[in-house]
Amino acid sequence: MEISPLRNFNKETLAGKTAIITGAGGLLGPHHGIALSCAGAKVILADINHEGLESSKNKILQVNSEAQIDTVILDITNLKAVEDFEKSYRKSNKYIDILINNAAVNPKMKELGSKVTGRIEDYDLEEWNKEIAVGITGSFICSRVFGSIMAQEKEGVIINISSDIAIRAPDQRVYSPTMSFEDIQSYKPLGYPIVKTALLGMTRYFAEYWGPRNVRVNALLPGGVFDNQPKELVENVKKRTLLGRWANVDEYEDVIVFLASDSSAYMTGQSIIMDGGRSV
Ligand SMILES: NC(=O)c1ccc[n+]([C@@H]2O[C@H](COP(=O)([O-])OP(=O)(O)OC[C@H]3O[C@@H](n4cnc5c(N)ncnc54)[C@H](O)[C@@H]3O)[C@@H](O)[C@H]2O)c1
């Protein structure tokens, strides 16, 4: 089914605001950027992948040629690098009002049986450490560095990009051509649900910590985005989703503007589950 976002954004909604998006060089990052820039915010795209950043910038400009965009190579697991960036940015610009903790090590299931993901028995500890470092420590570092200034300014928004996998089991059978436990060919590794669940705890913790300083912290739990995954996987997931389909890559744009703007002014510490009904 062809569904396009309304993109009925009013560029006054976030006028004068600056937003930083971590992991902006991936699949969803440019769409967060499209949403925020069409709603009037200046966007800073941060990633460790230079080509990804350039591609995201171009995708945003194709939709919104007037978008104000900065890009930065930033490893969010490096506290000093994030602090240095924040200080140098603030010296010549306004402080950053909106943080989207979007970066993650997100193993893509391009091929069943490709062994890109780990069974518990031989799950690589280096991989585990990397997933935790980016998804949990990186989100903590960015929340601390950018959130502290928001708290000082008594205004700010943090959006943690979690996943529907934070509230359900992975159901590894979707990685089996026959939808059976006997024939699972590839596993969603343990680090992923751990990171995404941790983000819900982090959301509540920071929401309480900085609530009195008017920094709102919420989480978005997206469902799977169609990205030319293997056919069996696509069909298996469709069968387990109430709406019978995957999300389109641009379908989270409106909710990002909702969470970043005063439309959600009385909402903090909460989660929005937007997964086509899969977790139901
Ligand atoms: N795509 C989906 O189906 C889906 C579904 C639910 C949730 N999510 C979540 O949405 C977010 C975005 O997903 P995506 O599909 O765009 O992921 P992606 O893998 O395409 O992009 C993630 C980006 O994070 C960057 N990154 C990794 N380590 C980094 C570091 N140390 N510092 C800075 N950047 C770093 C990568 O270079 C990459 O560009 C993720 O948190 C993901 O878990 C995605």
Side-chain angles (χ1 to χ4, degrees):
M1 195 193 314
E2 207 42 59
I3 306 231
S4 298
L6 289 176
R7 288 204 179 128
N8 195 10
F9 303 126
N10 175 349
K11 57 181 186 219
E12 298 305 310
T13 307
L14 295 173
K17 305 280 185 200
T18 303
I20 185 164
I21 304 164
T22 69
L27 183 67
L28 289 179
H31 293 280
H32 303 330
I34 287 170
L36 296 168
S37 70
C38 288
K42 175 175 179 175
V43 294
I44 305 167
L45 309 178
D47 205 295
I48 47 173
N49 177 345
H50 175 71
E51 288 81 36
L53 282 177
E54 286 307 300
S55 155
S56 292
K57 184 176 172 178
N58 290 332
K59 282 183 191 160
I60 298 170
L61 288 171
Q62 272 167 24
V63 177
N64 177 8
S65 59
E66 291 171 8
Q68 290 185 67
I69 308 169
D70 281 338
T71 57
V72 58
I73 297 283
L74 188 63
D75 178 355
I76 58 160
T77 65
N78 182 334
L79 174 62
K80 182 152 184 333
V82 177
E83 283 177 337
D84 287 351
F85 170 72
E86 190 285 320
K87 277 194 200 111
S88 69
Y89 191 83
R90 194 153 37 95
K91 223 180 254 174
S92 45
N93 296 276
K94 202 181 147 290
Y95 80 101
I96 292 165
D97 312 77
I98 300 161
L99 162 66
I100 305 201
N101 281 318
N102 172 73
V105 176
N106 187 15
K108 298 269 173 7
M109 306 289 167
K110 291 285 180 203
E111 289 166 46
L112 289 184
S114 61
K115 295 286 174 217
V116 284
T117 58
R119 291 169 55 85
I120 288 297
E121 290 80 356
D122 53 16
Y123 185 17
D124 185 10
L125 275 190
E126 256 182 55
E127 193 56 32
W128 160 267
N129 286 332
K130 199 168 132 198
E131 290 177 39
I132 303 294
V134 175
I136 301 181
T137 313
S139 299
F140 161 55
I141 286 176
C142 290
S143 300
R144 166 168 140 175
V145 171
F146 299 109
S148 299
I149 306 299
M150 294 176 196
Q152 203 174 287
E153 299 287 335
K154 294 208 170 53
E155 189 169 354
V157 170
I158 299 175
I159 303 171
N160 292 320
I161 307 297
S162 175
S163 161
D164 63 344
I165 217 170
I167 53 156
R168 61 168 176 82
D171 193 353
Q172 308 284 9
R173 290 173 301 174
V174 296
Y175 308 116
S176 143
T178 55
M179 202 58 202
S180 74
F181 284 115
E182 281 68 47
D183 194 18
I184 293 168
Q185 297 191 1
S186 199
Y187 285 78
K188 194 78 167 173
L190 177 62
Y192 195 70
I194 295 282
V195 163
K196 296 304 172 185
T197 309
L199 283 179
L200 302 188
M202 210 182 292
T203 298
R204 289 187 283 265
Y205 189 100
F206 279 108
E208 180 187 43
Y209 195 74
W210 283 325
R213 302 290 188 92
N214 195 30
V215 178
R216 297 190 300 108
V217 188
N218 290 296
L220 174 65
L221 283 64
V225 176
F226 180 69
D227 188 28
N228 294 311
Q229 287 88 347
K231 197 166 173 295
E232 295 102 323
L233 174 60
V234 169
E235 293 308 316
N236 289 342
V237 170
K238 277 185 184 175
K239 284 186 201 129
R240 308 193 92 64
T241 306
L242 296 190
L243 292 179
R245 64 177 181 86
W246 290 60
N248 298 321
V249 70
D250 46 19
E251 270 190 303
Y252 301 109
E253 292 180 8
D254 295 74
V255 73
I256 288 291
V257 174
F258 170 73
L259 287 172
S261 71
D262 282 349
S263 294
S264 59
Y266 196 52
M267 178 175 170
T268 197
Q270 300 294 344
S271 302
I272 293 185
I273 304 162
M274 207 166 158
D275 65 350
R278 186 167 171 202
S279 58
V280 173

